[in-house]
Amino acid sequence: MSIQTVSTQPYSDQKPGTSGLRKKVKVFQQQNYLENFVQAIFDSLEGYQNQTLVVGGDGRYYNREAIQIILKMAAANGFGRVLVGQGGILSTPAASCIIRKNNAFGGIILSASHNPGGPDEDFGIKYNTGNGGPAPEGITDAIYDRSKTITEYKILEAAAIDLDRIAIHSLGQTTVEVIDSVSDYGALMETLFDFGQIKQLLSGDFRFCMDSLHAVTGPYAKALFERRLSAPAGTVVNGEPLEDFGGGHPDPNLVYAHDLVEVMFGDNAPDFGAASDGDGDRNMVLGSNFFVTPSDSLAVLAANATLVPGYRSGLAGIARSMPTSQAPDRVAEKLGIDCFETPTGWKFFGNLLDAGKATLCGEESFGTGSNHIREKDGLWAVLFWLNILAAKGQSVEEIVKEHWGTYGRNYYSRHDYEGVESDRANTLIANLRQGLSGMPGKTFGPYTVDYADDFAYTDPVDGSVATKQGVRIGFTDGSRIVYRLSGTGTSGATLRLYVERYEADPAKHNQDTQAALADLISLADEIAQIKTLTGRDQPTVIT
Ligand code: VG1
Ligand code: CO
């Protein structure tokens, strides 16, 4: 086995977005495209000689080929040990768990998360650091810079590793261990939740449906819920990971997880329903005929955290991404703890978690997590809900409505305009930015603008600054409109509009969300001229 140094030409488009580099599979299959990016990652790091690297992905099309390339490049670049999930499978939270448990130098996760998979769909790759979390912007910027000037990469000439059997292999001087994808993660969950109490709930009359959407959580959910926690066989549906996720979007929301939504809003609906995304870091939770918004979910978990063994001693703080509703802020206020507001993307939570400033984190995009790892964690959120349901003996709807009764309700919705021409989307945002300084004090019907800005964030731990993270317009009654462009898409631009209104009066807590937000939604269009500038009459996805 010899190390080859291969000459290459740089690509100009390898800038990581909200969560790693995501492109069409066909783009990744171009000559040396993946190799260049992997070498750019290694070239941006220091001190990894003889250290451990964790590698795994969500099982989508091209996962296995990519892993074989990465293993040979890790060996040629001098890693001492590589841990790879069996079959190339590691959910994003499991990868984070394994990096931390093994004191690895870092990890490479292959996923385009909730984006579709298959030969004509999406692939993705991202680097996580030794704390188990997504690389911060300092590192992703360095990787991008390096990718623009790269001239060669190193790869070992060797046969492919058998990824399907748990075994230890030698690749040149490097040890490659094919490990069980589930066991370390399952053991961590067991330290956090009252498995006895949950088991009692799941083995009784309580009915639970977990939809893994043919993505990575299938094996994890079956091991945890059906085997370890005695839920009936068949509780986990669509539990076989498929390279194309069965042709769907592995995105746990009301639109793409429609089979589950039909079950949960049908006759004789189960008590609890949940779904997770392609790489297992997102979650959607539903009660019988009842949808819990991700922002409310974070608030409810925070308010009830001390019912769960891993959080018995309380929370140090809560963190939420800027567009997430302010429901968690109200819980933090009552608990007398901080609530941090960060830019979109889990990488911004890492420092707060490492510094012990936040215990729970969440995003409106169906992401919830805690300091147990450094990624959002879909099945963790499902277990957290099950633990609360078991401890309180109430239904999902009762728990959420009681929560609104105590804290008030933040009506909240996100409208996505997918596949908009990039020029049109950029013009819309540029126009908004230009108008910001004149906004405060303006009135629109009953709404008076309190503040208007382009969100900037200074990390309270390392002082790093992130600018241009989304246009916010806040009104004097606490309502908000937020506009930003997605950083995870692979074609055209996706405009995201986030709308929020607070309602203190319990008599007004049972309105339909879109109706309750209707005047703000039309105001959002009036201010940004969404219909005119995007050429779209309505959003592609409403959550
Ligand atoms: C989206 C979400 C963001 C999330 C990111 C990665 O980003 O809005 O909250 O962190 O996806 O999630 P964007 O830039 O498209 O809005 V995942 O499950 O891809 O790892
Ligand atoms: Co994901």
Side-chain angles (χ1 to χ4, degrees), residues 18-19 22 112-114 277 279 281-282 344-346 363-365 376 414 484-489 496 498:
T18 312
S19 180
R22 293 188 188 169
S113 189
H114 52 286
D277 72 332
D279 60 331
D281 55 358
R282 295 186 181 204
T344 294
W346 212 260
E363 295 190 284
E364 50 63 43
S365 53
K376 54 190 186 271
R414 179 173 115 182
R484 59 179 283 282
L485 298 184
S486 158
T488 57
R496 302 204 195 286
Y498 311 80

Side-chain angles (χ1 to χ4, degrees), residues 298 311 314-320 337-342 346 348-362 369-374 457 460-461:
L298 175 62
Y311 308 91
L315 308 176
I318 305 173
R320 62 158 176 86
I337 57 176
D338 284 328
C339 186
F340 297 90
E341 184 176 42
T342 59
W346 212 260
F348 293 102
F349 293 133
N351 280 345
L352 296 170
L353 292 167
D354 284 348
K357 288 179 179 291
T359 309
L360 297 190
C361 305
S370 90
N371 60 354
H372 68 292
I373 52 171
R374 294 295 180 273
Y457 176 69
V461 178

Side-chain angles (χ1 to χ4, degrees), residues 5 8 18 34 55-56 64 66 173 217 232 279 345 347 352 354 376 389 434 437 483 492 499 535:
T5 301
T8 188
T18 312
L34 175 71
V55 179
R64 284 171 177 267
Q173 305 293 310
T217 58
D279 60 331
K347 58 190 165 197
L352 296 170
D354 284 348
K376 54 190 186 271
L389 289 165
Q434 220 164 26
S437 58
Y483 309 85
V499 181

